[in-house]
Amino acid sequence: MRKTISVVTPCYNEEESIRECHDAIKRVMDTELPGYAREHIFCDNASTDRTVEILRSIAAADPSVKVIVNSRNFGILRNNYNGVLAASGDAVVLFMPVDLQDPPELIPQFVKLWEAGSEIVYGIRAQREESFLMRNTRRLYYTMLSRLSYVDYPPNVGDFQLVDRKVLDSMKRIDDAQPFMRMMPFECGFRAVGVPYTWRARKHGVSRNRFLQMIDQGLNGLISFSNAPIRMALWGGVAISGLAFLYTLGVILAWMLGFVHSVAGIPTVIVAVFFFGGLQLLFLGLIGEYIIAIFNQVRRRPLVFERERINFGLQQPSPGAEEGHMDPSPDR
């Protein structure tokens, strides 16, 4: 029996890129991996253009294509992970962008390394075809995330990863309301190997992942996989409190010796009030991020609500649907 390679592609208003993405994956699989069955899952985040219409046409002509249509836009992270949960392959490419910024030509190499014994094969974005500012901002973030996380997470690694079925089954046991998928395989462990590549510029349109959304996703990664922010706030507060105490002793001593008068200290007091007030708001905001994460977790809402599924046949929802991982809506 042939092994199946699942490829998951999230999309939102990508009518210009859908066919090109499907054709590229099909061509790579048919020519370089003819001994494997293909499962290509498109998970649509309630597109408002012709994306769903095009996906219906593709799925009607190609039974290897499966489509999940959400009832509304749930964000790229939840949408992508919901598609991954629906994958049935022996190995799964967790994220194949519809704009092909991550090259599908690497999938055969990923599969070869997987067959050689690596249970996680991840792409390393060694080069990026984007602006100097964005390239270095991303590099700085991933380096910081790698160093602060309690997970052994290589820097410059995104969601473009191929994982073995046992890794995916382990990921499903992580009950996370806001899944930061790119780090979940590394939290599970298993044997891993990286493949460097060039992250390409988009061919069509602009990214739907806006700057504020990227900030939100970045905070989600830090909050979910690192205790460092809250620990830094703790030790920062201890250090500043200690310095403030020493400063107070110095001012009292200088006043007792007659070096300063009480009026002369007013500007210092004003500056200190604003400084410590801002610092307290910063720490409260940091604590608030953890509280929001806890709040989202205890509500136990589904990742997404699905409008319909196409070409899934009688396949049951992935394990975890009953616990709120995904909406167990019937196939259509």
Side-chain angles (χ1 to χ4, degrees), residues 271-282:
V271 171
V273 167
F274 278 99
F275 174 75
F276 287 109
L279 197 64
Q280 288 173 345
L281 290 175
L282 173 65

Side-chain angles (χ1 to χ4, degrees), residues 4 8 29 36 81 102 109-110 116 120 143 157 179-180 185 190 192 233 251 266 274-275 288 303 317 319 321 331:
T4 299
V8 180
M29 292 289 294
Y36 296 84
Y81 191 52
D102 295 313
Q109 185 176 354
F110 280 17
I120 303 171
T143 300
V157 175
F180 195 67
F190 298 98
V251 170
I266 291 179
F274 278 99
F275 174 75
L303 280 177
D331 302 338

Side-chain angles (χ1 to χ4, degrees), residues 13-27:
N13 289 351
E14 296 283 0
E15 60 182 4
E16 296 178 329
S17 305
I18 286 292
R19 290 193 183 277
E20 184 176 353
C21 176
H22 167 258
D23 293 344
I25 298 298
K26 185 176 185 301
R27 181 172 58 253

Side-chain angles (χ1 to χ4, degrees), residues 88-317:
S88 61
D90 299 282
V92 181
V93 177
L94 299 178
F95 174 70
M96 172 50 62
V98 70
D99 51 34
L100 303 180
Q101 288 184 280
D102 295 313
E105 295 81 12
L106 281 183
I107 293 178
Q109 185 176 354
F110 280 17
V111 172
K112 182 179 180 180
L113 292 170
W114 167 61
E115 290 286 18
S118 297
E119 291 140 324
I120 303 171
V121 185
Y122 55 89
I124 303 172
R125 296 170 177 175
Q127 301 293 331
R128 295 174 180 269
E129 295 180 354
E130 59 181 344
S131 67
F132 175 84
L133 178 61
M134 287 301 299
R135 180 171 64 252
N136 286 279
T137 300
R138 291 182 197 269
R139 193 181 302 276
L140 176 63
Y141 169 74
Y142 285 119
T143 300
M144 178 178 64
L145 185 62
S146 176
R147 293 181 178 177
L148 296 181
S149 173
Y150 60 80
V151 176
D152 186 13
Y153 175 70
N156 299 315
V157 175
D159 294 310
F160 186 41
Q161 305 174 33
L162 180 143
V163 301
D164 185 84
R165 186 79 221 173
K166 67 180 70 174
V167 179
L168 180 57
D169 290 340
S170 299
M171 290 169 59
K172 290 180 178 180
R173 299 174 62 186
I174 301 174
D175 185 12
D176 197 339
Q178 299 290 331
F180 195 67
M181 188 177 64
R182 67 189 54 179
M183 295 187 69
M184 292 169 70
F186 298 97
E187 183 173 30
C188 297
F190 298 98
R191 294 184 294 271
V193 63
V195 178
Y197 70 98
T198 298
W199 192 65
R200 303 185 296 209
R202 286 180 62 101
K203 290 184 179 181
H204 307 288
V206 296
S207 173
R208 305 305 193 276
N209 201 17
R210 301 305 185 191
F211 183 70
L212 291 179
Q213 293 175 318
M214 288 190 286
I215 292 178
D216 182 67
Q217 294 161 14
L219 286 174
N220 181 32
L222 282 174
I223 296 301
S224 298
F225 288 93
S226 176
N227 296 323
I230 201 71
R231 296 288 171 81
M232 290 169 63
L234 171 63
W235 292 113
V238 170
I240 293 174
S241 297
L243 291 174
F245 179 72
L246 294 175
Y247 177 76
T248 301
L249 288 180
V251 170
I252 292 174
L253 182 61
W255 175 75
M256 292 177 65
L257 296 176
F259 293 117
V260 297
H261 300 285
S262 58
V263 176
I266 291 179
T268 302
V269 171
I270 294 174
V271 171
V273 167
F274 278 99
F275 174 75
F276 287 109
L279 197 64
Q280 288 173 345
L281 290 175
L282 173 65
F283 289 171
L284 284 174
L286 183 60
I287 295 171
E289 288 293 329
Y290 282 92
I291 293 174
I292 289 173
I294 296 169
F295 178 63
N296 288 331
Q297 187 67 28
V298 299
R299 286 189 299 177
R300 302 190 66 83
R301 293 182 177 179
L303 280 177
V304 306
F305 291 98
E306 299 174 6
R307 182 181 299 277
E308 65 176 315
R309 289 187 172 196
I310 302 170
N311 275 0
F312 277 84
L314 298 177
Q315 179 182 336
Q316 296 297 316

